[in-house]
Amino acid sequence: MTDLERHSYDVVVIGAGGAGLRAAIEAREQGKRTAIICKSLFGKAHTVMAEGGIAASMGNVNSKDSWQVHFRDTMRGGKFLNLWRMAELHAKEAPQRVWELETWGALFDRTPDGRISQRNFGGHEYPRLAHVGDRTGLELIRTLQQKIVSLQQEDEREFGDPEARLRVFAECTITEILKEDERVAGAFGYWRESGRFIAFDAPAVILATGGIGKSFKVTSNSWEYTGDGHALALKAGGSLVNMEFIQFHPTGMVWPPSVKGILVTESVRGDGGVLKNAGGQRFMFDYVPDVFRDKYAHDEAEGDRWYTDPDNNRRPPELLPRDEVARAINSEVKAGRGSPHGGVFLDVASRLPAETIRKKLPSMYHQFKELAGVDITAEAMEVGPTCHYVMGGVEVEPDTGAAVGVQGLFAAGEVAGGMHGSNRLGGNSLSDLLVFGRRAGLGASQYLDGLDGTRPAIAGADIDQAAAAAVAPFNGDGSENPYTVHTELQMTMNDLVGIIRRSEEMQDALEKLEELKRRAAAVTVEGHRQFNPGWHLALDLDNMLLVSQCVARAALMREESRGGHTREDYPLMSAEWRQVNLICRADGDDVSVTRQPLPSMPDELLQLFEREELNKYMTDDELTVLPEGDA
């Protein structure tokens, strides 16, 4: 190909958010020549929208916190469907990753005695989120970018070239993972500005592409979140795990329509904000599930006391895990007790002084003032559920991030599944991407060290095939527009596979997705490959449709309600279904979903829980095999 740009690296990292940058830093520090592929502008990764903090059991605000408590909270939040090994590694290593950021220049808020400050968040027993106001994700990305620059400066001093071992390819999209036999050989993509094709020869590829939210109409996710990494893994022969679990963050903006879905950080509730319906009632006390009832306040007075005396009071139900709060808001709106624009009210104005709100929540104050004309120091916010995060993702080996079934492919961050089970706790995403970003970078480096000396090679025919697939939208019959198909996809997923699910509606969704796939094959774009948003969307559509099929098929198969998956026709959790992971694989132009046993938790971790709590999640057979005195 005459217009093909080609590069050779040891490791290619697809995605430049927190997981991708931490993976790239680790690979570079292991001596590997590393490329970072950034779909958007460098520094604009979706990680910057994670506002509340980084969950890590440092015990700076409450010395009772520990990795064991963090592990328990994570398993409870995920309704015990988490891959226990990932939850264990995450809880143990998160504090070190936060302290590491501080040594790299992160400027955290401080406690009065100078330690990193930590705040309360939903589902966390103790104040655990290290934070920078409500702009923590931005500080994390700034810090990791600065570390990238410092490593490039080292390479310039050593090699005379700052990009000798670490280079960023910004505004570049990968469309295919290329293999030789069963091993990864590289990746193929294009420059978004020019449309020029680019290929990377590399025996190790790390996926760090984030989530799938742009398949839904109402989402907090930015335009990049089109399921690219999930689809790349499927097409390369990998598998996805538990894609039915979609987190609808309970508090997104609902008004005006132009900003619907934009995130309202959970730290508003962590710092004292409360949820009220149209009648002014704090309704969350009516929605505490039995499995959490003994851990949450039974009345407003106790909930309010908890903020100043957490040792002698239980936390308010506004700080239940996100799935519980989102369902409660949805129920209030359906019952006719919602706000004028279809949400509920989040009130911090009556709870904290205006000066404190502006200090602790500067981004939220600015966001509502500029976008909605609301002064959150004087009036309540209107909020409602918004598609925010996917708990499911690429099936990986916990310790290395290696994708199951594909040699040389790795994944970290939101694109990887297993860590969060059926529901993610707020703040666990930022520590997740740091812990497993590092582990994926290390795992890829160790994989390279173990190769027999021969690097897999990309076949010319595979590049030609990838290029032909990329330009196919220019050769359509003119009958379909990518924007129309995308809009209908978003409506289908939002309305039929959304926060409350029913068998008949998901069957309808699967039929609609098949129709949309046929229409997507006929999508036609005009013009040329130089910056052509219609062409970019046409290519993204292929990924979104493939991943949406996985979500809908898995959601139809799982006949229970758990975490981010709520079935109106199966409203209860099932102890038998807790033992099952649903694995999605590409099957030609279709996808298939199969059951797979969930790995059993070892006894030493089971002993961290009370037997009474395990009774709520596990089968009688599981409980009877526990050694006497355990749990």
Side-chain angles (χ1 to χ4, degrees):
M1 293 178 59
T2 58
D3 68 340
L4 178 69
E5 181 180 338
R6 198 153 182 173
H7 300 271
S8 179
Y9 283 92
D10 297 321
V11 178
V12 168
V13 180
I14 306 174
L21 294 187
R22 188 60 189 85
I25 289 167
E26 190 65 27
R28 155 60 181 78
E29 291 195 321
Q30 296 296 321
K32 309 306 179 189
R33 293 189 67 248
T34 304
I36 302 170
I37 315 300
C38 180
K39 188 175 181 180
S40 60
L41 293 168
F42 192 51
K44 194 232 164 259
H46 196 60
T47 303
V48 304
M49 300 178 74
E51 299 154 325
I54 308 171
S57 58
M58 297 183 289
N60 289 352
V61 174
N62 192 317
S63 60
K64 294 181 180 179
D65 204 5
S66 66
W67 77 260
Q68 292 93 337
V69 181
H70 193 181
F71 172 79
R72 283 205 307 261
D73 290 344
T74 298
M75 295 299 298
R76 287 169 180 153
K79 305 296 192 294
F80 282 76
L81 196 72
N82 317 60
L83 196 58
W84 65 264
R85 177 59 176 165
M86 294 185 80
E88 178 190 27
L89 289 171
H90 169 256
K92 286 181 174 179
E93 297 180 10
Q96 184 58 45
R97 300 284 74 80
V98 174
W99 288 321
E100 180 179 66
L101 282 181
E102 188 176 38
T103 67
W104 292 348
L107 300 173
F108 290 102
D109 290 355
R110 320 303 293 190
T111 63
D113 61 357
R115 292 179 291 178
I116 294 173
S117 181
Q118 296 184 272
R119 64 163 38 123
N120 291 300
F121 239 54
H124 294 280
E125 185 169 347
Y126 298 115
R128 185 176 290 145
L129 271 71
H131 58 92
V132 184
D134 57 357
R135 297 169 176 163
T136 310
L138 180 62
E139 181 68 4
L140 187 151
I141 287 292
R142 184 200 67 78
T143 302
L144 294 179
Q145 281 186 270
Q146 189 58 42
K147 181 63 175 178
I148 295 285
V149 171
S150 72
L151 292 173
Q152 290 178 323
Q153 290 172 334
E154 289 181 13
D155 288 343
E156 183 173 29
R157 289 192 293 271
E158 183 175 352
F159 300 105
D161 178 7
E163 296 180 333
R165 289 189 292 184
L166 190 57
R167 180 178 173 185
V168 177
F169 293 79
E171 294 190 284
C172 182
T173 294
I174 298 299
T175 61
E176 297 283 347
I177 302 295
L178 303 177
K179 299 194 302 181
E180 181 186 46
D181 298 325
E182 298 304 313
R183 300 192 297 174
V184 165
F188 176 90
Y190 66 94
W191 290 104
R192 297 182 70 85
E193 181 179 4
S194 66
R196 183 180 175 87
F197 291 132
I198 184 169
F200 295 89
D201 295 274
V205 171
I206 301 174
L207 300 172
T209 53
I212 67 170
K214 293 309 289 185
S215 293
F216 289 78
K217 179 185 176 184
V218 181
T219 180
S220 66
N221 293 175
S222 59
W223 64 268
E224 302 99 330
Y225 267 36
T226 53
D228 296 1
H230 297 77
L232 288 170
L234 281 175
K235 294 174 184 176
S239 53
L240 306 183
V241 58
N242 292 341
M243 289 300 292
E244 65 271 32
F245 295 110
I246 308 293
Q247 182 172 91
F248 291 84
H249 194 291
T251 57
M253 296 180 73
V254 299
W255 188 261
S258 59
V259 298
K260 189 169 185 177
I262 292 180
L263 190 64
V264 179
T265 175
E266 193 167 327
S267 55
V268 175
R269 286 174 284 134
D271 288 339
V274 297
L275 293 166
K276 298 179 180 178
N277 60 23
Q281 177 191 8
R282 282 181 65 181
F283 58 85
M284 282 305 304
F285 289 92
D286 298 331
Y287 293 96
V288 181
D290 290 340
V291 293
F292 291 115
R293 192 165 297 281
D294 61 343
K295 299 183 183 302
Y296 284 82
H298 289 180
D299 56 52
E300 293 185 25
E302 182 184 11
D304 289 345
R305 289 195 302 269
W306 176 83
Y307 286 100
T308 54
D309 186 12
D311 291 337
N312 298 304
N313 294 279
R314 290 169 294 188
R315 62 182 49 233
E318 281 88 358
L319 294 179
L320 278 162
R322 289 173 173 176
D323 58 323
E324 308 292 355
V325 181
R327 278 192 292 271
I329 292 174
N330 188 73
S331 296
E332 286 293 299
V333 174
K334 286 182 65 177
R337 296 187 291 269
S339 66
H341 300 107
V344 296
F345 294 106
L346 174 57
D347 174 26
V348 71
S350 68
R351 310 274 297 173
L352 295 173
E355 182 180 348
T356 301
I357 295 171
R358 285 191 289 266
K359 180 181 178 181
K360 287 191 170 186
L361 304 166
S363 293
M364 289 299 97
Y365 176 78
H366 177 80
Q367 179 174 308
F368 273 88
K369 193 77 169 175
E370 296 299 318
L371 299 180
V374 171
D375 181 354
I376 69 170
T377 69
E379 54 190 312
M381 301 161 257
E382 283 191 75
V383 298
T386 178
C387 178
H388 180 57
Y389 192 92
V390 56
M391 276 69 71
V394 179
E395 188 182 13
V396 297
E397 297 291 339
D399 290 74
T400 64
V404 173
V406 188
Q407 297 179 50
L409 186 64
F410 299 79
E414 187 174 357
V415 73
M419 209 317 263
H420 304 289
S422 66
N423 177 57
R424 176 179 65 79
L425 295 185
N428 272 1
S429 57
L430 292 186
S431 42
D432 167 20
L433 58 83
L434 291 171
V435 168
F436 294 106
R438 173 188 168 273
R439 281 189 165 269
L442 181 61
S445 300
Q446 292 172 339
Y447 168 78
L448 290 172
D449 293 340
L451 291 178
D452 56 10
T454 60
R455 289 167 62 114
I458 299 174
D462 289 342
I463 289 181
D464 291 341
Q465 184 177 6
V471 299
F474 290 103
N475 304 317
D477 62 12
S479 62
E480 293 290 348
N481 180 297
Y483 296 97
T484 301
V485 175
H486 184 216
T487 297
E488 294 192 29
L489 167 63
Q490 290 180 312
M491 292 293 291
T492 297
M493 295 303 290
N494 215 79
D495 296 345
L496 303 179
V497 200
I499 187 169
I500 306 295
R501 296 163 175 174
R502 304 166 185 84
S503 176
E504 298 81 6
E505 290 183 348
M506 288 184 289
Q507 292 279 11
D508 291 345
L510 286 167
E511 294 176 10
K512 182 69 172 175
L513 288 171
E514 286 293 340
E515 177 192 343
L516 290 173
K517 281 174 59 180
R518 291 190 292 270
R519 291 173 57 187
V523 157
T524 304
V525 296
E526 299 179 353
H528 43 70
R529 280 158 44 195
Q530 290 182 346
F531 192 80
N532 187 330
W535 178 46
H536 303 164
L537 179 58
L539 297 180
D540 290 340
L541 268 176
D542 185 50
N543 295 335
M544 286 188 280
L545 285 163
L546 184 65
V547 174
S548 293
Q549 280 189 291
C550 286
V551 173
R553 286 196 184 281
L556 181 61
M557 182 176 288
R558 183 174 289 276
E559 295 178 337
E560 67 160 350
S561 291
R562 182 182 300 272
H565 172 64
T566 302
R567 289 284 297 264
E568 188 174 76
D569 44 355
Y570 294 95
L572 301 178
M573 277 193 299
S574 161
E576 286 76 17
W577 269 106
R578 187 203 60 80
Q579 300 174 290
V580 176
N581 281 332
L582 293 183
I583 305 299
C584 183
R585 295 182 177 88
D587 186 10
D589 292 332
D590 200 359
V591 298
S592 62
V593 178
T594 57
R595 301 185 184 195
Q596 180 173 286
L598 178 74
S600 298
M601 196 187 308
D603 290 346
E604 62 268 23
L605 293 179
L606 279 173
Q607 291 175 12
L608 297 175
F609 302 91
E610 298 290 337
R611 181 180 288 270
E612 182 180 358
E613 180 173 13
L614 296 181
N615 287 341
K616 303 170 185 176
Y617 296 99
M618 295 188 172
T619 64
D620 291 339
D621 288 343
E622 288 179 286
L623 293 168
T624 55
V625 300
L626 289 177
E628 191 65 31
D630 276 6

